[in-house]
Amino acid sequence: AALRFAAGAGLLAPLGCLLNALPPDRPADWADAAVSAAASGGHEGAVRLLLSWRGAGPRARADGGESEALVAAAINGYVGVARALLCSEAHAADAAAQDGEALLMAADRGDDGMVGLLLEHGARADCQGGEALLSAAMGGHVSTARLLLEAAADAPRADCFDGEALVRAVLSGSIELVRMLLAWPEHAARAGARDGAALVHAANIGCKAMVELLLGWPEHAATADSQQSEALMKAAYIGRDDIVHTLLSQPHSPALADAQDGMALCLAA
């Protein structure tokens, strides 16, 4: 407990004294909690001291607890700590541990430095089927999503999970990210995937430019009448007459004013 406290507080002098007092017959996982505590607090010096200590008996491991310390560093954005763990001389942390959990945490924060470091050390950009891309998309992190899609190996598909990344990009409000996913050279997201789910969400957040982008995309465009003209219902409910007009005036497959038993009129009233 004392070792974990000193490491978590970044107290190097007390930590060194405690390390020198350790018995040689300690368990192999003796330092896991201390390394994780130091990593969680962003104390790179404490992490390096633990990993470099050469006393008798088992050495501290950077990959202890399925590289839990690395995940903690990624959650908090401590790139220096993550680098120390990944570059440890013995038992380095595994960037792909826990099915890429560290990468997911970094992508969720839009931490390009951390994402790049993890990819450089073997994390799979398509871990968990592309969840890192979904995390980046939900936050509207354009550069992070691009880093993942441009990964030299194991890149996720822009249309992973049947267009879920596109839906999350819409929800983030980033039209730049939506356009990037739609225009990606390989396995591009489809504007009309899942019966126009992205269009419905775009109408619901009242983003006319995004609605027009999805309806007018050259390939696999969304149609205004998808999901029984559900986008029309959303636009009517939030009082966006301009989006209602756009949906009703489409030259191909326009929204139907009387869809869902005239629900749009009831919502607008």
Side-chain angles (χ1 to χ4, degrees), residues 3-26:
L3 190 72
R4 184 171 63 250
F5 176 81
L11 303 174
L12 299 185
L15 181 59
C17 292
L18 290 167
L19 288 171
N20 290 327
L22 287 171
D25 59 347
R26 60 190 175 277

Side-chain angles (χ1 to χ4, degrees), residues 66-151:
E66 293 189 81
S67 297
E68 188 60 41
L70 179 63
V71 175
I75 289 173
N76 295 291
Y78 298 132
V79 176
V81 171
R83 184 176 290 108
L85 294 165
L86 291 165
C87 297
S88 178
E89 293 180 6
H91 308 295
D94 179 4
Q98 300 184 40
D99 201 6
E101 187 66 18
L103 185 66
L104 264 63
M105 297 298 102
D108 186 64
R109 297 177 62 255
D111 189 339
D112 292 353
M114 184 71 76
V115 168
L117 178 67
L118 292 167
L119 292 176
E120 178 185 339
H121 284 270
R124 292 183 59 101
D126 65 348
C127 62
Q128 299 185 33
E131 282 288 346
L133 179 61
L134 300 191
S135 295
M138 192 69 216
H141 304 307
V142 180
S143 58
T144 305
R146 184 178 290 109
L147 265 177
L148 294 166
L149 290 167
E150 289 179 344

Side-chain angles (χ1 to χ4, degrees), residues 1-16 18-19 30-51 60 81:
L3 190 72
R4 184 171 63 250
F5 176 81
L11 303 174
L12 299 185
L15 181 59
L18 290 167
L19 288 171
W30 65 274
D32 289 359
V35 174
S36 291
S40 296
H43 301 302
E44 184 178 345
V47 169
R48 291 187 180 277
L49 177 58
L50 286 162
L51 295 178
V81 171

Side-chain angles (χ1 to χ4, degrees), residues 158 166 177-184 188-192 213-214 217:
L166 180 66
L177 182 52
V178 169
R179 186 177 288 109
M180 185 180 80
L181 292 171
L182 291 171
W184 200 254
R190 293 173 293 116
L213 178 67
L214 294 166
W217 197 254

